[in-house]
Amino acid sequence: PEDYHVAGAVECEELKVVAISPGLRHETQAGGLKEGRWSGGAQLWILAKQVGDLIELELPVGDNQPRKVAVYATKSWDYGTLRFSLNGQPAGADFDAFEATPKVAGPLDLGLATPRGGKILLRAEVVGRNAGSKGVLFGLDCVVLGRP
């Protein structure tokens, strides 16, 4: 149900896309989970086709104070392995988003980021795929920003 929200979440499907691989499609997806619930009832679904495909989202913060960043993603049977960055700097460990049964994963700790101009840029890039996966798609549910 849409009334479920992760505390303090910024919904990825509502964020501004500031960079994306040429020809890459994305959309809001509200169904298909077998375990768990998406915050706000939906996720940002990225229909990646190959290693190297990426999307970069703008997180409005309002000031330039450092923030802890955690992302909630989705795991599924046709999802790839992701690498995250914050403001162009590597963040957290690579995330294998493969799972035979679609479910929500998170929070994934991406560490600290200092906003620039009141914004943090979150990038997710496909860097590979699990041998069991049938694709390299991925889904981003929400981001939670906290004080260090």
Side-chain angles (χ1 to χ4, degrees):
E2 289 186 26
D3 60 353
Y4 169 73
H5 289 275
V6 170
V10 178
E11 304 299 333
C12 289
E13 62 274 14
E14 297 174 4
L15 293 174
K16 179 180 178 182
V17 175
V18 294
I20 191 165
S21 295
L24 189 61
R25 288 184 32 234
H26 62 88
E27 58 190 59
T28 298
Q29 182 183 34
L33 277 181
K34 301 295 181 197
E35 293 181 29
R37 294 188 291 177
W38 286 311
S39 180
Q43 72 164 346
L44 179 64
W45 189 32
I46 299 88
L47 292 98
K49 299 174 192 169
Q50 61 193 357
V51 170
D53 279 350
L54 63 88
I55 192 166
E56 190 167 68
L57 306 172
E58 183 179 274
L59 295 161
V61 180
D63 62 37
N64 290 326
Q65 298 303 309
R67 298 293 198 293
K68 291 191 287 185
V69 181
V71 66
Y72 288 72
T74 303
K75 297 185 113 183
S76 191
W77 60 273
D78 57 352
Y79 280 22
T81 300
L82 301 177
R83 181 168 296 150
F84 294 100
S85 65
L86 298 169
N87 292 335
Q89 299 301 310
D94 288 356
F95 171 64
D96 180 357
F98 169 74
E99 182 73 36
T101 302
K103 67 181 190 178
V104 176
L108 307 171
D109 181 7
L110 299 185
L112 284 175
T114 300
R116 296 180 188 153
K119 301 168 188 164
I120 295 172
L121 298 179
L122 168 66
R123 177 177 285 204
E125 179 177 351
V126 178
V127 294
R129 79 174 191 189
N130 184 298
S133 179
K134 303 296 184 208
V136 293
L137 306 176
F138 62 98
L140 303 175
D141 180 20
C142 64
V143 178
V144 175
L145 301 172
R147 298 286 183 175

